[in-house]
Amino acid sequence: GIQVEQSPPDLILQEGANSTLRCNFSDSVNNLQWFHQNPWGQLINLFYIPSGTKQNGRLSATTVATERYSLLYISSSQTTDSGVYFCAGGAGGTSYGKLTFGQGTILTVHP
Amino acid sequence: KAGVTQTPRYLIKTRGQQVTLSCSPISGHRSVSWYQQTPGQGLQFLFEYFSETQRNKGNFPGRFSGRQFSNSRSEMNVSTLELGDSALYLCASSLDRVVPQETQYFGPGTRLLVL
């Protein structure tokens, strides 16, 4: 089955710092998504990024599909960025609707 | 466009009871997936429905079941509740264009506590 691994498991930053979160995934993954889970449990879509680079404000993501990894960059972090960041992979085909999630990176941003 | 909605948001049940959770997808989305999130196991896929048919199922016992209605709304049911069923249950919807797999959008979840 699909394997998705995230690092680091925990990250503590001061407001204004930059950070990079990594996601490694197995061969069978052909699409990748990044999510932010807020303290109330809501999963917020950040990026759908099977390959290439995307940017949205202070966040950007890069997926290098040939090397089976994706990176999420957070610049000038704010306290509201705190929460858990997940990457999730899908295999497409007959794996209808199934995303396999990594264990997440818990980000804490201190003022 | 309204997001994915789930009801109820919180639920307390006792062992042995059964529970039904509801999910309304984003308008126009036809695929609904369900996930269970626990501190020990993380986020795990339960099942996916499209056009009232279950197309995919995760590795959960038969006590977990679901269905989808003609308006794409979905329900999941857990019978004979166990303490270990305490979790956050999330549903997600997508447009479902087969290739590539579409982005999934998640609801706020239902927190179930089994006593």
Side-chain angles (χ1 to χ4, degrees), chain B residues 2-15:
Chain B
V4 179
T5 59
Q6 292 186 244
T7 57
R9 295 292 311 279
Y10 304 92
L11 206 49
I12 300 175
K13 292 286 187 179
T14 56
R15 280 179 298 174

Side-chain angles (χ1 to χ4, degrees), chain B residues 75-100:
Chain B
E75 290 181 347
M76 68 163 284
N77 183 276
V78 188
S79 62
T80 319
L81 284 165
E82 300 177 0
L83 296 180
D85 297 332
S86 295
L88 177 65
Y89 290 88
L90 294 161
C91 85
S93 73
S94 66
L95 279 169
D96 188 64
R97 290 188 292 242
V98 177
V99 179

Side-chain angles (χ1 to χ4, degrees), chain A residues 30-31 33 35 37 39-45 48 86 89-103, chain B residues 9 31 33 35 37 39-43 45 48 55-56 88 90 96 98 100-108 111:
Chain A
N30 65 9
N31 70 81
Q33 299 181 37
F35 297 90
Q37 188 168 40
W40 297 272
Q42 174 92 52
L43 277 170
I44 309 297
N45 294 71
Y48 173 80
F86 289 101
T94 57
S95 297
Y96 300 110
K98 180 179 180 179
L99 289 175
T100 298
F101 284 79
Q103 288 303 304
Chain B
R9 295 292 311 279
S31 169
S33 297
Y35 295 83
Q37 185 177 24
Q41 298 298 316
L43 277 149
F45 172 77
E48 188 263 3
R55 297 192 301 183
N56 199 4
L88 177 65
L90 294 161
D96 188 64
V98 177
Q101 186 177 26
E102 285 293 311
T103 302
Q104 292 189 14
Y105 296 90
F106 282 78
R111 289 193 183 275

Side-chain angles (χ1 to χ4, degrees), chain A residues 45-47 54-61 73:
Chain A
N45 294 71
L46 297 178
F47 296 102
K54 292 185 177 180
Q55 181 157 7
N56 184 3
R58 296 181 297 103
L59 272 61
S60 64
Y73 305 97

Side-chain angles (χ1 to χ4, degrees), chain A residues 40-84:
Chain A
W40 297 272
Q42 174 92 52
L43 277 170
I44 309 297
N45 294 71
L46 297 178
F47 296 102
Y48 173 80
I49 187 163
S51 63
T53 297
K54 292 185 177 180
Q55 181 157 7
N56 184 3
R58 296 181 297 103
L59 272 61
S60 64
T62 295
T63 296
V64 183
T66 53
E67 297 186 24
R68 321 307 298 171
Y69 73 88
S70 184
L71 302 174
L72 177 69
Y73 305 97
I74 304 174
S75 65
S76 304
S77 58
Q78 302 175 357
T79 56
T80 52
D81 294 331
S82 295
V84 186

Side-chain angles (χ1 to χ4, degrees), chain B residues 1-94:
Chain B
K1 192 180 276 191
V4 179
T5 59
Q6 292 186 244
T7 57
R9 295 292 311 279
Y10 304 92
L11 206 49
I12 300 175
K13 292 286 187 179
T14 56
R15 280 179 298 174
Q17 287 186 310
Q18 74 167 13
V19 66
T20 299
L21 312 181
S22 180
C23 172
S24 292
I26 292 171
S27 177
H29 284 194
R30 301 170 66 192
S31 169
V32 174
S33 297
W34 288 89
Y35 295 83
Q36 180 197 64
Q37 185 177 24
T38 60
Q41 298 298 316
L43 277 149
Q44 293 185 291
F45 172 77
L46 280 157
F47 28 64
E48 188 263 3
Y49 286 86
F50 177 82
S51 288
E52 303 178 63
T53 299
Q54 185 184 89
R55 297 192 301 183
N56 199 4
K57 186 176 181 349
N59 189 25
F60 279 82
R63 299 185 297 106
F64 292 82
S65 63
R67 58 177 175 169
Q68 186 180 35
F69 302 94
S70 58
N71 62 357
S72 295
R73 188 177 70 85
S74 177
E75 290 181 347
M76 68 163 284
N77 183 276
V78 188
S79 62
T80 319
L81 284 165
E82 300 177 0
L83 296 180
D85 297 332
S86 295
L88 177 65
Y89 290 88
L90 294 161
C91 85
S93 73
S94 66

